[in-house]
């Protein structure tokens, strides 16, 4: 039967601004034309169900010095924002990222302001960095939630 087991799920548009977030997981995905990218899924503190909730990172460009420098800056900003090692994980193992907390910035798209993108942010101006409130649970266990600050982890 069509729609069997449907559960209503609310989504709230995240207003432009700077937010504290937790990484729920990472995985490789593809655009409609087949271009692969790394999707980093996050939960925004105090805003369950907020969208957008994913940062997209395409592979480092092979050509163009300026493009390479910009990619390096974006990756460094991601690592610094979430306290990650300044390297690309070997064997595409991003499991250690789950539960890490850091800052993100929500920015409306220039060509479609009704949609927004998320970007990593080292620390917003004037804001003190918040302590890492979450410790990833051992494999097979669910990480404890802190009084509803974040939605449950996205199943992968």
């Amino acid at each position: 039967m069509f729609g069997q087991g449907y559960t209503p799920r609310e989504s709230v548009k995240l207003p432009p601004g700077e937010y504290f977030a937790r990484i729920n997981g990472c995985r490789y995905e593809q655009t409609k034309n087949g271009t692969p990218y790394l999707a980093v899924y996050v939960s925004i503190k105090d805003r369950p169900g907020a969208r957008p909730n994913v940062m997209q990172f395409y592979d480092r460009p092979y050509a163009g010095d300026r493009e390479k420098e910009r990619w390096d800056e974006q990756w460094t900003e991601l690592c610094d924002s979430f306290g990650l090692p300044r390297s690309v994980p070997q064997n595409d193992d991003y499991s250690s990222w789950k539960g890490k907390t850091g800052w993100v910035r929500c920015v409306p798209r220039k060509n479609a302001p009704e949609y927004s993108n998320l970007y990593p942010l080292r620390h917003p101006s004037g804001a003190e960095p918040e302590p890492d409130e979450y410790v990833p649970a051992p494999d097979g266990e669910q990480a404890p939630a802190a009084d509803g600050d974040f939605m449950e982890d996205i199943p992968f």
Side-chain angles (χ1 to χ4, degrees), residues 18 121-128:
E18 300 166 346
L121 179 65
R122 283 190 178 95
H123 291 292
S125 56
E128 289 294 319

Side-chain angles (χ1 to χ4, degrees), residues 19-20 70 72-83 86 101-105 119-125 127-130:
Y19 300 95
F20 194 65
R70 181 66 189 133
D72 292 347
E73 289 171 5
Q74 288 175 334
W75 192 263
T76 301
E77 188 134 357
L78 171 69
C79 294
D80 289 353
S81 174
F82 286 90
R86 282 185 163 186
T101 56
W103 292 95
V104 295
R105 176 179 54 239
Y119 300 99
L121 179 65
R122 283 190 178 95
H123 291 292
S125 56
E128 289 294 319
E130 296 190 28

Side-chain angles (χ1 to χ4, degrees), residues 4-136:
Q4 182 91 18
Y6 163 71
T7 304
R9 189 167 177 184
E10 297 298 322
S11 178
V12 177
K13 183 178 178 186
L14 191 63
E18 300 166 346
Y19 300 95
F20 194 65
R22 180 182 75 162
I23 295 177
N24 290 330
C26 304
R27 68 177 172 207
Y28 283 102
E29 297 185 2
Q30 289 185 3
T31 62
K32 290 178 184 176
N33 69 2
T35 304
Y37 63 92
L38 177 67
V40 179
Y41 289 90
V42 298
S43 297
I44 305 299
K45 184 176 182 182
D46 298 327
R47 297 193 184 248
R51 300 276 189 258
N53 67 342
V54 64
M55 293 181 284
Q56 298 175 342
F57 296 92
Y58 295 90
D59 199 1
R60 188 171 191 266
Y62 295 104
D65 290 339
R66 191 168 192 201
E67 289 80 6
K68 289 179 186 178
E69 287 176 12
R70 181 66 189 133
W71 191 94
D72 292 347
E73 289 171 5
Q74 288 175 334
W75 192 263
T76 301
E77 188 134 357
L78 171 69
C79 294
D80 289 353
S81 174
F82 286 90
L84 305 169
R86 282 185 163 186
S87 61
V88 177
Q90 296 298 313
N91 302 320
D92 298 328
D93 183 12
Y94 295 94
S95 60
S96 66
W97 290 18
K98 188 175 180 178
K100 295 288 187 179
T101 56
W103 292 95
V104 295
R105 176 179 54 239
C106 181
V107 178
R109 294 181 190 171
K110 290 178 183 173
N111 57 347
E114 66 274 17
Y115 299 105
S116 298
N117 291 331
L118 278 184
Y119 300 99
L121 179 65
R122 283 190 178 95
H123 291 292
S125 56
E128 289 294 319
E130 296 190 28
D132 191 0
E133 300 174 16
Y134 300 90
V135 177

